[in-house]
Amino acid sequence: MTSTTDPIEPGAPAASGESTASRESTASRESTASRESTASRESAASASAEALVWQLSETTLLRFATAGSVDDGKSTLVGRLLHDSKSVLTDQLEAVERASASRGQETPDLALLTDGLRAEREQGITIDVAYRYFATPRRRFILADTPGHVQYTRNMVTGASTAELTVILVDARNGVVEQTRRHAAIAALLRVPHVVLAVNKMDLVDYKEPVFAAIAEEFTAYATELGVPEVTAIPISALEGDNVVEASAVMDWYGGPTVLEHLETVPVSHDLAHCHARLPVQYVIRPQTAEHPDYRGYAGQIAAGTFRVGDEVTVLPSGRTSKVSGIDLLGEPVDAAWTPQSVTLLLEDDIDVSRGDLIVPREDAPATTQDVEATVCHVADAPLTVGHRVLLKHGTRTVKAIVKDIPARLTLDDLSLHPHPGQLVANDIGRVKIRTAEPLPADSYADSRRTGSFILIDPGDGTTLTAGMAGESFAAPEPVKDEADDAGWDF
């Protein structure tokens, strides 16, 4: 007798055994497919991330700062640069749109992409230095948007101190003003190798070429007198986007690069790894454990140059010499390390080394001195006067010091030197002579921006008074004869 199975009507439940096996089989196939799909996505994401890392590693890094007078449009330029180069996240743009709408503006105010402080947004000005990171396929950038107000000039010094390029904005209606000269002077003092003059708001002067040409000629002549090695002038409208990322359709008389094109192609020729090797000691590492009973390492960030195992070195200011017996980088021994890596050096000899000391090659050691001559930018509200007792911070070392003399103050209008002004007030640039309580191994700032710079600090409250650049500069006056160099400056 033949047994038959009744057909299953559509929508009717199947037999329990058949149903379980079917569901398990289906679930197994779906699970496998899901895992394969997830693995595929993860693999694609990993490959994409690796490609991005490789791409970024193959591009150079450019640090640059923006500067200019009040309302010249610095923040708008930066916002336009970020927006048009597709470096703004959607939520950031939405936040700017909401903030702009609340202020009654019909279009997004791109300046708000960098003016993040509440006081900045309320007043429509930049107060603090705003740092932004962005990248294009050709280069990576770290940007410092600095304030334009005179009282915030100290922030411009901070932002430009590590920059390889400075963008100085000028309002096409106003031309070169005192603050423009001050920013050009600071860029020259800080040895910024590239300066871009962005003549902004060209839309408000009907995009006239003679207006741009006159401003570019005046600024270039002034910057050349200061010793600025390279000036590139670009006519722009940050509000409209002309010549920022895209070339302007209304300034066909200009055939040069846009701001972004210049940033992407300007040569970054500096190589600190080939400069004088310098390691300011930040910390002495002595574990004194069973595993490392005799370990003594000197940790810090290499300020310039390269150190190798076997190098003969000198420790300053003591002058003791030794040889590098080992270099630890991220907990692993290496044969060589270079700037700006943070490392621990081990020396063959057990000599006295502490925080604030400077480790340098034996054949390339800077001279130590207690008399420092420098060009300074005074950034504090209180004046700097002859006889002022201060703390001098150089690298990781801080010593007591006295201002012996202020030989000259620079007049920005005509670059003349006002001899022996007696004091420097906020934002003044001048020459100073300083006597330190202990010998100081300072390079010339022209040779090393890292180990040739210092700051003067108020010993009473820790306020930063002055930013200094050791050695000669464009503001160097005629030598001033000291009648008694060593008299009256005891600590």
Side-chain angles (χ1 to χ4, degrees), residues 50-333:
E50 289 179 1
L52 178 61
V53 170
W54 179 86
Q55 178 182 342
L56 292 178
S57 68
E58 290 298 305
T59 60
T60 55
L61 172 67
L62 175 70
R63 294 176 179 268
F64 73 100
T66 61
S69 190
V70 180
D71 294 331
D72 279 351
K74 298 176 301 303
S75 297
T76 303
L77 170 63
V78 173
R80 174 64 65 184
L81 194 59
L82 296 174
H83 178 270
D84 289 6
S85 64
K86 306 297 188 290
S87 300
V88 181
L89 299 177
T90 303
D91 58 341
Q92 291 177 316
L93 187 58
E94 290 174 351
V96 168
E97 290 173 345
R98 289 193 299 270
S100 301
S102 67
R103 296 166 57 176
Q105 295 173 303
E106 296 181 358
T107 57
D109 184 356
L110 298 179
L112 298 181
L113 287 170
T114 54
D115 290 337
L117 298 180
R118 182 176 180 180
E120 294 178 325
R121 296 194 175 197
E122 289 175 348
Q123 299 178 56
I125 63 172
T126 301
I127 295 175
D128 196 9
V129 180
Y131 290 95
R132 291 293 181 270
Y133 171 87
F134 70 102
T136 67
R138 304 180 69 177
R139 181 165 280 177
R140 294 168 291 136
F141 304 95
I142 296 178
L143 180 156
D145 182 27
T146 67
H149 280 252
V150 173
Q151 61 264 39
Y152 301 127
T153 299
R154 70 196 77 177
N155 298 43
M156 191 269 178
V157 175
T158 301
S161 62
T162 57
E164 292 113 35
L165 181 146
T166 297
V167 179
I168 299 179
L169 269 77
V170 171
D171 188 325
R173 299 168 299 173
N174 303 327
V176 177
V177 297
E178 180 183 0
Q179 191 69 345
T180 309
R181 297 188 184 94
R182 179 174 285 110
H183 288 152
I186 292 173
L189 272 179
L190 296 174
R191 307 279 175 169
V192 180
H194 307 284
V195 171
V196 173
L197 173 68
V199 182
N200 194 23
K201 304 188 180 182
M202 288 296 296
D203 53 309
L204 299 182
V205 295
D206 298 325
Y207 300 102
K208 293 179 179 178
E209 182 180 7
V211 175
F212 166 74
I215 295 173
E217 183 179 359
E218 180 182 356
F219 180 87
T220 302
Y222 183 83
T224 302
E225 286 188 61
L226 292 173
V228 174
E230 177 186 297
V231 176
T232 301
I234 304 175
I236 68 169
S237 171
L239 186 64
E240 302 297 333
D242 293 291
N243 286 336
V244 178
V245 172
E246 302 294 337
S248 173
V250 292
M251 287 187 281
D252 52 3
W253 45 264
Y254 172 73
T258 65
V259 173
L260 182 60
E261 286 173 351
H262 184 69
L263 294 177
E264 287 182 325
T265 57
V266 66
V268 184
S269 58
H270 70 282
D271 188 355
L272 293 175
H274 292 88
C275 296
H276 312 287
R278 303 287 187 263
L279 176 71
V281 177
Q282 293 179 336
Y283 190 69
V284 178
I285 299 177
R286 291 208 65 194
Q288 294 182 306
T289 61
E291 185 180 359
H292 301 287
D294 302 318
Y295 188 98
R296 184 195 295 265
Y298 309 105
Q301 183 184 45
I302 300 176
T306 300
F307 286 92
R308 295 179 175 82
V309 174
D311 284 353
E312 293 186 347
V313 294
T314 298
V315 179
L316 299 174
S318 68
R320 298 288 185 88
T321 60
S322 185
K323 185 178 290 187
V324 178
S325 60
I327 303 174
D328 288 346
L329 174 65
L330 299 176
E332 299 293 334

Side-chain angles (χ1 to χ4, degrees), residues 189 191 225-226 373-376 407-410 415-418 429-432 469-480:
L189 272 179
R191 307 279 175 169
E225 286 188 61
L226 292 173
E373 296 188 32
T375 301
V376 301
R409 175 175 56 82
L410 179 69
L415 296 180
S416 62
L417 295 175
H418 178 69
I429 296 172
R431 294 286 294 177
V432 298
M469 286 68 70
E472 298 296 329
S473 73
F474 68 85
E478 291 298 319
V480 178

